Amino acid sequence: MASHLAQIFGTEQDRVNCSFYYKIGACRHGDRCSRKHIKPPFSQTILLPNVYHNPAHDPGCKYNERELQEGFDAVYEDLYCELAKFGHLLELHVCDNVGDHLIGNVYARYEWETEAQSAVDNLNNRWYAGRPLYAELSPVTDFREACCRQNENGECNRGGFCNFMHLRLASKELVSSLRAGQRIERRVNPPKESTGGGWEPGQRKEKNGRERSASPRRGGDEGWRR
């Protein structure tokens, strides 16, 4: 009996624990779910909910696809560089869903559980884009199971309201560059403990040599700030 319960734990056959929560780290029913959402006491993966807001979901969006991709790449770079300060960052994923339980969710998986715990401890005292961050350990271990396979094949008919992850992908060149930079940085400068507070987006050089924020401005005078 015990071995059977262990085998079905967190699966759809489990009538006690929510399979969606264990698979994607979130459930559309939230606290009203009839099954248990047991938060892990330790994990390699952390969740930052409701961080990224895709301007393309705004009916009044006037950005073209290139501008949207550049804007997301800037946000992805900001998050990657900051999260990598807490340890060896193996994976970083950003949800492009619009359902309440998945919208803007950011998942980061570290090499060690202690690194993930350090990130949670520090990020809960941080702000980004003028909003406070909330971080928690997540039960997600296999993002292949958490992602919508139909969406990857361009066949999902639920769109952003799908209950599985629809990931927003950064440019391949950027991801390769960030991973290479992390390897070099960790060899040359071991990561230092963060002291909390807000962090500012990095700076990039424009063609004329001037610096600009690595994160895009979202309409009018609403910029990225502490």
Side-chain angles (χ1 to χ4, degrees):
M1 183 65 177
S3 61
H4 173 69
L5 292 176
Q7 289 176 353
I8 67 172
F9 180 81
T11 68
E12 294 180 2
Q13 295 178 343
D14 190 341
R15 299 301 179 185
V16 177
N17 302 287
C18 178
S19 62
F20 267 103
Y21 177 73
Y22 285 100
K23 189 172 290 185
I24 64 176
C27 170
R28 64 188 177 93
H29 298 295
D31 294 336
R32 301 186 306 274
C33 184
S34 61
R35 300 183 184 182
K36 292 183 178 180
H37 297 178
I38 301 177
K39 296 185 178 181
F42 52 86
S43 175
Q44 293 173 261
T45 305
I46 70 169
L47 164 63
L48 302 171
N50 199 26
V51 173
Y52 173 65
H53 292 182
N54 188 348
H57 297 320
D58 183 352
C61 177
K62 297 181 180 179
Y63 296 114
N64 59 38
E65 187 57 38
R66 181 184 62 82
E67 292 171 331
L68 289 170
Q69 187 62 50
E70 288 179 351
F72 176 71
D73 282 351
V75 174
Y76 187 93
E77 183 177 2
D78 286 343
L79 293 169
Y80 192 103
C81 291
E82 186 63 24
L83 291 169
K85 293 179 181 179
F86 303 108
H88 186 190
L89 190 59
L90 300 178
E91 296 182 75
L92 176 62
H93 300 292
V94 181
C95 289
D96 202 23
N97 303 65
V98 296
D100 290 342
H101 63 302
L102 284 175
I103 186 170
N105 286 5
V106 174
Y107 295 83
R109 187 171 72 89
Y110 289 90
E111 183 176 12
W112 303 103
E113 289 88 349
T114 52
E115 296 171 334
Q117 186 64 59
S118 175
V120 168
D121 293 341
N122 282 274
L123 292 172
N124 273 314
N125 296 320
R126 309 293 291 274
W127 292 66
Y128 187 63
R131 299 189 301 272
L133 291 175
Y134 172 70
E136 64 181 43
L137 296 176
S138 172
V140 179
T141 56
D142 188 347
F143 286 95
R144 293 172 299 179
E145 292 295 323
C147 292
C148 176
R149 295 173 184 173
Q150 290 180 327
N151 178 62
E152 293 173 352
N153 296 327
E155 300 173 352
C156 182
N157 56 16
R158 300 199 64 183
F161 290 98
C162 181
N163 286 323
F164 289 92
M165 294 182 190
H166 286 200
L167 299 182
R168 175 78 180 181
L169 301 179
S171 301
K172 292 182 179 179
E173 297 80 4
L174 173 63
V175 175
S176 297
S177 175
L178 290 171
R179 288 176 177 172
Q182 179 182 221
R183 290 194 295 269
I184 296 173
E185 179 69 20
R186 288 179 62 79
R187 277 201 304 265
V188 177
N189 298 309
K192 297 180 180 179
E193 185 176 354
S194 177
T195 56
W199 87 77
E200 291 288 354
Q203 301 291 322
R204 290 178 176 173
K205 291 287 186 178
E206 293 184 346
K207 292 182 179 179
N208 58 13
R210 293 184 300 177
E211 291 186 342
R212 68 175 179 85
S213 171
S215 294
R217 297 179 67 85
R218 294 183 58 209
D221 59 353
E222 182 184 0
W224 293 74
R225 56 189 181 274
R226 290 185 183 272

